[in-house]
Every structure is written in structure tokens, then in C-alpha cells.
Amino acid sequence: MPRFLLAAALLALGGNACAYPADTAPVSVTLRGHHYSVELATNEAAREHGLMMRTSLAADHGMLFVFPDTAPRGFWMKNTLIPLDILYFDAERKLVSAQVDVQPCKADPCPVYPSAGPARYVLELSAGTAARIGVRNGDTLAIEGRLGTVD
């Protein structure tokens, strides 16, 4: 088989391998007109690990924590190496509170950053994002894509 045909066949197969199955398609959110690609944390293990040990987070990326219920939430920065904005949203996806410019934890125990009200969704973005886009309580979070099973 000529090399260019082999290369074309491999590219075609590789392109199909990169396609996302319906249940793992990328999820994104929009807040105040700004679009972010997000990783999901929809189970206890993923929510506990969060963005730990990351050394960077792109300006247009974040992590969306989805809980099975609406309740007061508290996050901490143990083993989180990058400063973050932590945005808490209720079941209607309205912003109930924000903890902004939260710095990595260097103490033990690490402080907890609570929500000011019950939350079901928590969005973590690079520190300074909330101020840059003018986030305010009551802002609505739009979620595009399938969240899958939440437990």
C-alpha cells in the first residue's frame, strides 16, 4: 500500500477515535456571556479530587461540580496549586455566592470556603475571572451538554 494511502487511512481512523460518545461529549458553560469548557465532577471521588495537583488552568476552562442535592457547600484548597474563583449556584443555576481569588492552601488544616446559601452546582475558574467578567449574585449559569449520572 502506498505510504500516502496508509497515512490517509490512519488519519481517518484516528479522527473517528477522537469522536466523543454521546454520554462523554464535552460540556461547556456560559456565564455573563463568557463561554468556558468544563471538566465535570459528578460523583464523590471526582468532587473530592477536583483540581488538585494542577499547575495551570486555561483562562477559558474550569471545573463544574454537580451534586445530587441542593445544600450548603464548603470547598477547600488542599493540594490545589493554583488560585481559583469558586462560584456557588442553586438548583435553578442562579449564583448564590462566590469565593474569589482563593489561594492555594499552605497550612494544615486548610480553611473551608463556604457558600452563602444552598448550592447544587459549583464552578471553579481561574482566580480573577469573576471580577474580570463582573459576576454578581443572581447571575444565571447556562450549561451546554449532557451532565450524565450524578451521584
Side-chain angles (χ1 to χ4, degrees):
M1 176 182 261
R3 282 190 178 184
F4 75 92
L5 287 178
L6 177 60
L10 288 174
L11 282 173
L13 288 173
N16 289 336
C18 293
Y20 291 95
D23 60 341
T24 60
V27 174
S28 61
V29 299
T30 302
L31 180 61
R32 295 194 58 81
H34 298 270
H35 191 75
Y36 303 92
S37 295
V38 293
E39 295 176 49
L40 291 177
T42 59
N43 61 49
E44 194 61 34
R47 288 188 295 263
E48 284 180 12
H49 192 266
L51 291 171
M52 285 182 180
M53 309 314 288
R54 305 281 180 95
T55 57
S56 65
L57 181 64
D60 62 345
H61 284 71
M63 180 167 272
L64 181 64
F65 297 78
V66 184
F67 293 88
D69 61 344
T70 301
R73 305 285 175 207
F75 276 53
W76 66 346
M77 298 291 284
K78 183 172 182 166
N79 296 323
T80 304
L81 307 175
I82 52 176
L84 298 170
D85 289 343
I86 305 170
L87 309 175
Y88 299 93
F89 296 86
D90 65 15
E92 287 76 41
R93 301 177 182 167
K94 300 283 187 196
L95 184 67
V96 295
S97 67
Q99 295 281 355
V100 298
D101 199 27
V102 178
Q103 296 299 307
C105 177
K106 293 184 168 93
D108 193 17
C110 294
V112 174
Y113 298 92
S115 61
R120 182 160 186 195
Y121 304 93
V122 179
L123 177 63
E124 289 184 339
L125 299 170
S126 295
T129 302
R132 183 176 49 78
I133 67 172
V135 168
R136 295 185 298 250
N137 282 349
D139 285 346
T140 301
L141 181 70
I143 300 172
E144 297 96 33
R146 192 164 172 265
L147 296 179
T149 305
V150 178
D151 55 338

